[in-house]
Amino acid sequence: MRAVRLLVWLAGSALCVGMARAVGPVDQPDLIKHRAIVYFATAFVGLTIGVLVWERRPDSRTGLLLTALPFVEVLSQARWIFWNHALPVTIGFASMSLYAPVFAHLILSYPTGRLTTRLDRVFVAVVYAYATTSALLFLLFFDTRAPHDRYEIECWDCALPLTHVAWRDVHRASHVLDLTLLVVAPAFIGLLIRKLLRATPGGRRIELPLSIAAFAAVAQLLAHFALNGSPDSPWTDTPWFWISIVVSLAVPLSLGVGLFFGRRARSAVADLVVELQRTPPGHVQEALARTLGDPSLELALWLPDQASYVDSRGAKVELPAAGPHRAVTVLGSSDSPVAALLHDPALLERPGLLEAAAAAARLALENERLQAELRAQLSELRASRARIVQAGDDERRRLERNLHDGAQQRLLSLGLALQLARAELGAEANGASSLLVEAEDELRAALDELRELARGIHPAILTDQGLGAAVRSLAERSSVPVRIVSLPGERLDESTEAASYFLVSESLANCAKYAHASTVRVSIARRNGNAVVDIDDNGVGGADATRGSGLRGLSDRVQALDGTFLLESPVGGGTHVHAEIPCAS
Amino acid sequence: MATRALIVDDHPSFRRFARKLLESAGCEVVGDAADGAAAIAAVRELGPDLVLLDVLLPDMTGFDVAEEIAAGGNRPLIVLTSSRTASDFGSLLRTDHAKTFISKRDLTLAALAALASEAA
């Protein structure tokens, strides 16, 4: 393919040089000869840029179309430079009208080289049809020797096209065809604006320079038509000649600017390498977004353990299906991806850039991935801790219920039976009766112990009436006087209520056992989505959460719910328990 | 005429012994019910003087049952009872529709006899 492009470039260059030189011997004023050199040099520049773009993006049709454009220009001039040779005249007429459709095709299909919408395809097809019709009219019926008032000078030794059939006056028909340009050109402008509006921001940035050049070209055509009644500007008209040269150069040059920006982006990759050294973990996405010029870029890191993508916070990410507004590029090999970039499809027009940036970011990405993995594991761990606490609470609740419904009920019935037995015996059986009284006392003690046990496992009042009532009931039973400062009036979620309750219950028990306190203050308040629990006594202090399993277990329970636990117990300064537990409801 | 009593409790063994205990206390046990709905129906049908009402029933709480009974025409003396203690119920026990609460642990012949004579 490279050889084909080289051949095309050589052939095109030879054509430009040959045609420019051919103007020399022709009996023309020097002005025309000089302008011929400028004209063909312009075509040569267009040809060279076209082949370079073609070389860089061989799979896109843009390079091919850009290369075709100067060919069409140059060849169409053959009809007057070699006016007395039939073949060049034929080629000249054949290529004369092709400029417009190739131009429209190039602009509307940039940068992918594909016409993406149906309307674009129809439009380009119509312009090709127009050009073909126009060319056929001239190839079949035009005769340079016939008297024509506008198109060519009368020329008695001009060659006829090889395809000439008979003379017809094509002047009027071609005039009509010229007028259709007046319709086609605004339609083209409309399609171009529509294309720009539909483009993603990144795509628009790429398309804008060429679009401006295209607008200029169409404006020049329409202006010349309006002022002179013909779309083609002759070489003798100084301002129009130079304007047409500038416009002809603008199209390939604006495409070249895109290439230049591609280079600039590569140096941005070099900046990225430096920047990533200073990028803290979790910010590689921003660095990549800046380098690639796509603020919408998202980074999804592959976690092999979970066989899924996560973002930098460790949350799962589903890769979207590629569409007109979102593209996905997987970095690394397909069987062991490192990460995926979710980005503006316009970046696909610069695949080298994406790869270069990804290669530069590889180490940082690896690091980022480890961080994300850690975070994902951490959040999984946290969730599982919370689940364990929840499961424990559920189990305690079930146990309490079972004790209440089972053993406790049977013992209560037994107590009633003993009472009845005592009543049946009456006053006569004194010995047996007092034995029964003892049995009843024993039974009552057993029931009390069982009830305490059940309450310690999970108090029914907490399940049925919530934290406020449960803590009030704790306070009533406490041997140290309790002053309740505040309690939540509403229900909180089960885990928060259970953790808060056991925090108060354990603290009150410790206070009664060790603190020698005369009063203890309990406060539970909702603040910023947390249940804030404070238990302060005025005892001897010196409690240590790391010793003894009671407070230690509570600290673990609070942390499992993502809360914080703080114990302050200076010797002689009382004991202060402070905990904040997130509560959803 | 003996005090007509109704027993509401979901445990059959408790109902059995409670019946004997009430009878020993001089009541006539006119019926029993295992859940709240049956209790409300039984009160309407039998018109008892005394209802021994368990707080934790399978379909509703004894407090709700007491309220329903009070809303009907009958005004029996309602005695709430439970295997739990008063402190397990906290503020819920402040009900206008029940005469009193006796924990099942403290359900004695003497206490029942006193209530029976009050209900009669």
Side-chain angles (χ1 to χ4, degrees):
Chain A
M1 255 339 259
R2 175 162 287 183
V4 172
R5 286 191 287 272
L6 190 63
L7 270 176
V8 167
W9 182 75
L10 285 173
S13 308
L15 208 57
C16 289
V17 174
M19 300 270 277
R21 282 176 64 98
V23 177
V26 177
D27 179 23
Q28 289 283 2
D30 280 350
L31 180 78
I32 295 294
K33 288 174 185 168
H34 291 148
R35 290 199 175 162
I37 292 170
V38 174
Y39 182 87
F40 289 110
T42 304
F44 172 74
V45 170
L47 170 79
T48 306
I49 293 177
V51 172
L52 283 175
V53 172
W54 192 4
E55 169 74 25
R56 240 180 102 93
R57 307 285 315 282
D59 47 342
S60 159
R61 209 172 284 159
T62 298
L64 187 62
L65 289 168
L66 191 62
T67 309
L69 214 53
F71 264 98
V72 171
E73 277 234 60
V74 167
L75 288 175
S76 67
Q77 302 300 334
R79 70 184 194 279
W80 65 268
I81 296 176
F82 305 103
W83 79 98
N84 50 0
H85 293 88
L87 185 63
V89 167
T90 312
I91 293 173
F93 279 123
S95 52
M96 179 174 73
S97 326
L98 269 175
Y99 190 88
V102 173
F103 181 80
H105 191 175
L106 168 72
I107 305 293
L108 290 179
S109 68
Y110 183 73
T112 58
R114 289 182 307 273
L115 293 166
T116 43
T117 73
R118 200 186 156 80
L119 202 57
D120 287 339
R121 282 194 289 276
V122 169
F123 177 80
V124 170
V126 165
V127 185
Y128 272 113
Y130 149 79
T132 311
T133 316
S134 175
L136 280 175
L137 278 178
F138 281 89
L139 285 169
L140 297 177
F141 309 122
F142 190 76
D143 186 346
T144 17
R145 293 166 305 188
H148 289 293
D149 53 358
R150 195 171 61 89
Y151 258 85
E152 305 279 333
I153 46 162
E154 283 178 33
C155 172
W156 294 106
D157 56 350
C158 278
L160 283 175
L162 290 167
T163 47
H164 186 74
V165 176
W167 178 81
R168 297 277 190 283
D169 185 1
V170 298
H171 171 225
R172 185 167 302 156
S174 83
H175 194 63
V176 170
L177 285 171
D178 283 348
L179 283 174
T180 56
L181 263 185
L182 280 181
V183 181
V184 167
F188 171 76
I189 296 285
L191 285 176
L192 190 50
I193 290 171
R194 170 171 167 265
K195 177 163 172 274
L196 281 174
L197 289 179
R198 285 179 156 204
T200 58
R204 202 171 299 142
R205 215 168 24 245
I206 292 176
E207 289 169 30
L208 204 59
L210 185 66
S211 302
I212 291 170
F215 283 129
V218 175
Q220 179 244 341
L221 175 89
L222 290 176
H224 192 267
F225 198 85
L227 294 172
N228 305 306
S230 144
D232 316 302
S233 49
W235 290 8
T236 46
D237 189 332
T238 302
W240 284 113
F241 173 77
W242 290 110
I243 289 171
S244 75
I245 288 294
V246 167
V247 168
S248 298
L249 272 174
V251 170
L253 280 180
S254 58
L255 254 162
V257 165
L259 287 179
F260 172 72
F261 274 140
R263 286 264 155 65
R264 274 271 307 275
R266 282 201 180 250
S267 74
V269 170
D271 293 343
L272 176 70
V273 175
V274 178
E275 186 179 340
L276 282 175
Q277 314 223 340
R278 295 192 293 263
T279 302
H283 294 269
V284 174
Q285 175 175 310
E286 288 106 273
L288 276 172
R290 248 194 320 279
T291 304
L292 294 172
D294 176 9
S296 74
L297 181 131
E298 288 169 80
L299 184 62
L301 301 150
W302 175 254
L303 296 192
D305 289 0
Q306 306 192 7
S308 68
Y309 285 97
V310 297
D311 65 16
S312 58
R313 287 183 300 281
K316 270 208 169 84
V317 172
E318 287 293 331
L319 294 190
H325 298 292
R326 212 78 187 123
V328 177
T329 300
V330 174
L331 310 175
S333 62
S334 58
D335 50 330
S336 68
V338 175
L341 297 177
L342 285 61
H343 57 85
D344 189 329
L347 288 184
L348 293 175
E349 300 312 321
R350 291 141 70 176
L353 175 63
L354 211 55
E355 279 153 22
R362 190 172 169 119
L363 251 183
L365 279 176
E366 198 64 53
N367 191 11
E368 186 99 336
R369 181 165 86 163
L370 287 174
Q371 294 263 354
E373 196 163 11
L374 200 64
R375 270 186 215 108
Q377 280 170 358
L378 214 63
S379 75
E380 178 53 37
L381 196 68
R382 200 173 285 146
S384 94
R385 280 218 299 184
R387 280 199 300 276
I388 288 169
V389 168
Q390 179 70 45
D393 284 346
D394 291 347
E395 187 57 20
R396 279 161 161 255
R397 216 169 283 129
R398 200 182 61 78
L399 259 175
E400 191 270 345
R401 190 86 212 179
N402 280 353
L403 275 179
H404 170 260
D405 282 344
Q408 218 175 353
Q409 295 298 335
R410 287 187 189 284
L411 291 179
L412 284 166
S413 296
L414 186 59
L416 297 186
L418 288 176
Q419 275 197 63
L420 284 167
R422 195 152 48 88
E424 294 267 319
L425 279 174
E428 305 97 60
N430 245 334
S433 190
S434 66
L435 254 178
L436 282 175
V437 169
E438 263 178 63
E440 280 175 63
D441 288 345
E442 199 63 22
L443 186 62
R444 209 167 279 132
L447 271 168
D448 286 345
E449 278 174 25
L450 192 60
R451 187 164 23 239
E452 272 313 308
L453 179 67
R455 188 147 46 202
I457 290 172
H458 198 98
I461 189 170
L462 184 62
T463 313
D464 298 337
Q465 293 182 67
L467 188 56
V471 169
R472 236 174 261 122
S473 140
L474 267 181
E476 281 165 24
R477 290 199 307 274
S478 167
S479 59
V480 184
V482 177
R483 192 162 79 82
I484 290 172
V485 178
S486 74
L487 286 176
E490 70 281 20
R491 296 296 300 256
L492 310 178
D493 54 293
E494 278 181 356
S495 309
T496 310
E497 285 200 332
S500 307
Y501 174 85
F502 286 114
L503 210 56
V504 176
S505 142
E506 181 71 21
S507 301
L508 289 182
N510 284 346
C511 179
K513 266 189 251 172
Y514 312 114
H516 307 293
S518 63
T519 179
V520 53
R521 241 172 47 123
V522 173
S523 155
I524 303 174
R526 289 187 71 172
R527 215 177 295 147
N528 305 327
N530 285 324
V532 182
V533 183
D534 285 288
I535 303 128
D536 306 299
D537 70 40
N538 60 355
V540 295
D544 186 351
T546 56
R547 263 178 297 163
S549 65
L551 279 174
R552 184 64 208 252
L554 286 172
S555 156
D556 286 348
R557 184 189 260 273
V558 168
Q559 278 162 18
L561 298 175
D562 238 359
T564 54
F565 175 88
L566 195 74
L567 176 77
E568 269 184 9
S569 190
V571 175
T575 299
H576 312 278
V577 174
H578 174 86
E580 298 193 8
I581 309 161
C583 52
S585 56
Chain B
M1 195 178 119
T3 307
R4 295 159 46 80
L6 175 73
I7 302 168
V8 184
D9 198 290
D10 53 330
H11 293 94
S13 68
F14 179 84
R15 286 202 301 274
R16 197 148 42 88
F17 286 114
R19 174 183 285 263
K20 286 183 181 158
L21 204 63
L22 279 167
E23 281 168 359
S24 298
C27 295
E28 181 200 348
V29 179
V30 291
D32 56 21
D35 57 45
I40 293 162
V43 168
R44 201 177 304 131
E45 196 180 316
L46 304 169
D49 308 312
L50 176 77
V51 179
L52 187 63
L53 178 57
D54 190 24
V55 175
L56 296 167
L57 293 168
D59 58 341
M60 58 211 282
T61 70
F63 308 121
D64 299 331
V65 177
E67 206 176 316
E68 287 268 340
I69 291 174
N74 297 298
R75 298 272 168 185
L77 188 107
I78 296 174
V79 178
L80 285 167
T81 185
S82 173
S83 54
R84 292 183 181 154
T85 60
S87 71
D88 285 333
F89 294 111
S91 60
L92 280 185
L93 269 184
R94 283 182 218 115
T95 164
D96 308 327
H97 307 297
K99 162 76 184 162
T100 183
F101 174 86
I102 302 180
S103 167
K104 282 183 184 174
R105 166 189 182 283
D106 304 319
L107 214 55
T108 60
L109 211 50
L112 284 178
L115 287 166
S117 63
E118 192 178 332

